[in-house]
Amino acid sequence: MKLKKKIVIIGLIIIIGVFISFCISAYNLSYKEPNRPDNTKTSDVRTGMLPVLSRDEKAKIQEGIASEKNSPNFTTQTASKGIIKEGSDILNLPIGNSPTNRLDSFIEIKVDEKFLYTSALMKPGTYLEKVKLKKKLSKGIHQGLVRQITVYKGKTVSCYETVVPIICS
């Protein structure tokens, strides 16, 4: 009798395991990732100040820009490194929204995985030489990320990221 009970229990465990595997497979096949700009992660988009467009809306906007202007391309301008003095919160990191661009943008700067600066909306041809960070940095080389987010009619169209070292001396 004990052998029959063990066989029944093992059979039930196998059936339950197969059922769970089937459910996971069905979920993975039907799951669709939410629409988001091409160059961003969903978690990164949530840090932005403006709503995110679906891919269809983004395509319509780019078509509209192309018909209004000659080119929907976007050029980023960021220095190859940032310089800051120890004990200061003023970062020397030239960044610009190129005059050849057709879209407004704003800048976010992330240092050592923390957002320390967000600019106001910048028109094409606008440049920043220095920015004031939310906190002072310790001496050394820090990992910086400059995110330039393009905006059209109040909505995020795309996000361009540039990794730059931030040197604090």
Side-chain angles (χ1 to χ4, degrees):
M1 269 322 217
K2 290 184 180 183
L3 181 61
K4 284 185 179 180
K5 285 184 181 180
K6 286 182 181 180
I7 292 173
V8 170
I9 291 174
I10 291 173
L12 287 173
I13 290 173
I14 291 172
I15 291 171
I16 291 171
V18 169
F19 178 74
I20 290 172
S21 296
F22 175 77
C23 290
I24 290 171
S25 296
Y27 174 79
N28 287 336
L29 289 173
S30 65
Y31 177 76
K32 291 183 180 175
E33 188 173 332
N35 289 331
R36 57 186 165 85
D38 294 334
N39 296 329
T40 60
K41 297 177 186 167
T42 304
S43 60
D44 292 340
V45 170
R46 290 186 190 124
T47 65
M49 298 172 11
L50 300 171
V52 178
L53 298 177
S54 71
R55 290 182 197 271
D56 292 338
E57 290 175 309
K58 180 181 171 185
K60 286 179 188 174
I61 287 173
Q62 289 177 336
E63 287 171 14
I65 294 168
S67 66
E68 292 175 17
K69 316 254 174 157
N70 292 335
S71 172
N73 296 334
F74 191 85
T75 303
T76 62
Q77 295 181 326
T78 304
S80 61
K81 65 182 175 182
I83 308 285
I84 190 169
K85 292 189 180 212
E86 186 177 17
S88 174
D89 58 358
I90 304 298
L91 173 64
N92 184 2
L93 179 65
I95 307 167
N97 186 353
S98 173
T100 62
N101 292 335
R102 305 282 190 234
L103 299 174
D104 295 343
S105 68
F106 67 94
I107 306 295
E108 290 181 330
I109 298 176
K110 194 176 190 180
V111 180
D112 298 334
E113 301 297 320
K114 294 180 184 169
F115 285 96
L116 298 183
Y117 177 78
T118 302
S119 75
L121 203 58
M122 298 170 57
K123 298 281 183 200
T126 306
Y127 297 89
L128 300 172
E129 288 289 324
K130 297 178 181 180
V131 298
K132 184 174 181 171
L133 301 179
K134 291 180 182 176
K135 74 172 200 169
K136 297 176 182 178
L137 300 180
S138 60
K139 190 173 185 174
I141 299 176
H142 301 266
Q143 183 170 351
L145 178 77
V146 176
R147 181 181 289 159
Q148 194 163 4
I149 300 164
T150 58
V151 178
Y152 182 74
K153 294 187 178 179
K155 293 192 176 183
T156 298
V157 175
S158 60
C159 177
Y160 302 90
E161 295 180 337
T162 305
V163 175
V164 295
I166 308 290
I167 301 166
C168 182
S169 55

